[in-house]
């Protein structure tokens, strides 16, 4: 009887997964989640191009094991999975930064969580491209990423928080502009952790990476790139960046899509 129940469950699960795959490979491809599933499966079977090339580093080497405080766990299009959000907050905990710069705010989910896991007094700057400026960017932004720019409001997940319940949101300063044209000079030599998650097009990743080096305080700190995974131009851009700057030791944090540089 037990065997029959188990077999029925397995067959049902199998049929359901086929149906979900069919959905993901057809209508689902028009949704962020569907594209993510597609890229995960391709990556799993090693059929994504370009493929990650950086040497792997263990999460244990870059994350703190201290307890984390996480909020807004719902994943909306453009947000990272909860496992990566936790990894990023673990890096923030370990680095204990006095200042963080994020390129690419979206709904502010990561900004908020960095605020919750950074030390008191840490300042967090987050830059986003306003949709009105989409036509005036320094480099072209591909269709794939335009929909993340075309939103009503940037940072709504920290803006909508009650300041008494989330006093950490006071750490956040919102900035607006195109990372290709923005004047970063007031933040040069003043940042301990840079999180690059704006446009994922080649020119932008390269541009933002060069800027991140200038932002680091006395050239020291951590730079993180999101979406370092199969099929993304983040990979090709970081290959060029590495060739230009052979002294830099970049790594891919295992089981995440973060590229990591600690100087
Ligand atoms: C992938 S989302 C960021 C996700 C967010 N960091 C998170 O972890 O939830 C990309 C964001 O970058 C912004 N963006 C795209 N191109 C940009 C540019 N050239 N300059 C500044 N921000 C840009 C988009 O408006 C969008 O909000």
């Amino acid at each position: 009887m037990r065997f029959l129940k188990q077999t029925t469950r397995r067959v049902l699960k199998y049929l359901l997964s086929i149906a979900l795959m069919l959905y993901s490979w057809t209508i689902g491809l028009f949704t962020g989640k569907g594209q993510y599933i597609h890229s995960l499966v391709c990556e799993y079977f090693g059929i994504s191009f370009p493929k990650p090339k950086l040497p792997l580093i263990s999460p244990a080497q870059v994350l703190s094991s201290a307890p984390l405080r996480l909020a807004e766990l719902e994943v909306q299009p453009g947000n990272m999975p909860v496992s990566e959000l936790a990894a990023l907050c673990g890096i923030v905990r370990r680095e204990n930064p006095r200042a963080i710069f994020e390129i690419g705010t979206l709904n502010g989910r990561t900004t908020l969580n960095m605020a919750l896991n950074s030390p008191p007094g840490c300042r967090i700057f987050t830059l986003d491209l306003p949709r009105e400026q989409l036509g005036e960017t320094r480099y072209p932004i591909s269709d794939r990423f335009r929909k993340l720019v075309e939103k009503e409001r940037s940072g709504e997940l920290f803006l909508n928080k009650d300041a008494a319940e989330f006093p950490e949101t006071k750490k956040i300063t919102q900035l607006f502009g195109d990372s290709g044209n923005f004047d970063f000079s007031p933040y040069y030599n003043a940042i301990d952790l840079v999180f690059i998650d704006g446009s994922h097009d080649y020119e932008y990743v390269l541009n933002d990476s060069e800027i991140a080096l200038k932002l680091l305080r006395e050239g020291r700190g951590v730079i993180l790139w999101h979406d370092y995974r199969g099929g993304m131009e983040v990979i090709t851009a970081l290959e060029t960046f590495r060739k230009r700057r052979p002294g830099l030791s970049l790594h891919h944090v295992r089981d995440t899509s973060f590229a990591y540089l600690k100087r």
Side-chain angles (χ1 to χ4, degrees):
M1 193 61 187
R2 199 160 156 251
F3 172 76
L4 198 67
K5 258 189 185 167
Q6 270 181 350
T7 312
T8 314
R9 262 191 221 136
R10 256 187 217 149
V11 171
L12 271 176
K13 206 167 146 189
Y14 177 73
L15 292 176
L16 198 60
S17 65
I18 289 184
L20 287 172
M21 278 300 157
L22 278 176
Y23 166 78
S24 303
W25 258 243
T26 52
I27 309 165
L29 276 182
F30 295 99
T31 68
K33 211 174 202 173
Q35 285 162 13
Y36 184 60
I37 294 169
H38 181 247
S39 65
L40 280 185
V41 173
C42 288
E43 210 174 320
Y44 182 82
F45 288 105
I47 51 170
S48 50
F49 306 103
K51 289 183 189 179
K53 294 181 179 68
L54 293 175
L56 287 169
I57 190 166
S58 153
Q61 285 176 264
V62 299
L63 290 162
S64 157
S65 55
L68 303 173
R69 182 175 166 208
L70 299 180
E72 298 291 352
L73 298 186
E74 197 66 40
V75 179
Q76 294 178 33
N79 287 148
M80 62 184 76
V82 174
S83 57
E84 288 191 348
L85 186 65
L88 177 53
C89 291
I91 293 172
V92 170
R93 281 253 180 232
R94 182 169 177 135
E95 294 304 320
N96 235 7
R98 281 154 61 197
I100 297 175
F101 203 111
E102 174 186 42
I103 302 180
T105 312
L106 195 68
N107 55 7
R109 178 173 175 261
T110 300
T111 331
L112 172 68
N113 281 283
M114 292 195 291
L116 295 179
N117 291 284
S118 52
C122 175
R123 299 210 57 195
I124 303 178
F125 303 96
T126 182
L127 173 73
D128 212 24
L129 177 65
R131 61 180 173 181
E132 301 75 34
Q133 290 182 24
L134 248 177
E136 309 153 18
T137 55
R138 178 161 180 189
Y139 308 108
I141 295 190
S142 55
D143 289 347
R144 194 173 167 192
F145 305 118
R146 289 177 91 87
K147 54 182 183 262
L148 297 178
V149 181
E150 288 164 344
K151 57 195 171 298
E152 286 265 314
R153 202 175 181 210
S154 286
E156 59 175 355
L157 294 183
F158 56 78
L159 291 172
N160 72 10
K161 289 284 168 288
D162 174 44
E165 198 188 337
F166 288 90
E168 298 86 354
T169 54
K170 291 199 194 91
K171 296 175 183 173
I172 302 170
T173 304
Q174 262 191 293
L175 305 168
F176 295 97
D178 167 27
S179 67
N181 289 317
F182 186 76
D183 177 13
F184 286 91
S185 62
Y187 310 94
Y188 284 173
N189 197 21
I191 305 293
D192 308 291
L193 192 150
V194 184
F195 178 44
I196 301 179
D197 196 19
S199 166
H200 291 20
D201 290 310
Y202 176 88
E203 294 290 0
Y204 270 106
V205 179
L206 207 47
N207 171 77
D208 298 353
S209 307
E210 291 292 347
I211 286 162
L213 288 178
K214 295 185 187 161
L215 292 175
L216 290 186
R217 195 190 302 276
E218 290 168 15
R220 308 231 153 256
V222 165
I223 305 175
L224 283 171
W225 292 260
H226 190 229
D227 283 321
Y228 182 78
R229 60 186 164 86
M232 301 298 280
E233 290 183 13
V234 181
I235 293 178
T236 37
L238 289 191
E239 282 311 299
T240 306
F241 183 57
R242 268 213 301 174
K243 276 183 200 132
R244 272 190 197 169
R245 299 185 170 269
L248 297 180
S249 158
L250 275 83
H251 285 90
H252 176 192
V253 183
R254 204 182 60 219
D255 300 329
T256 74
S257 69
F258 292 121
Y260 172 93
L261 171 69
K262 176 145 183 168
R263 303 199 72 204

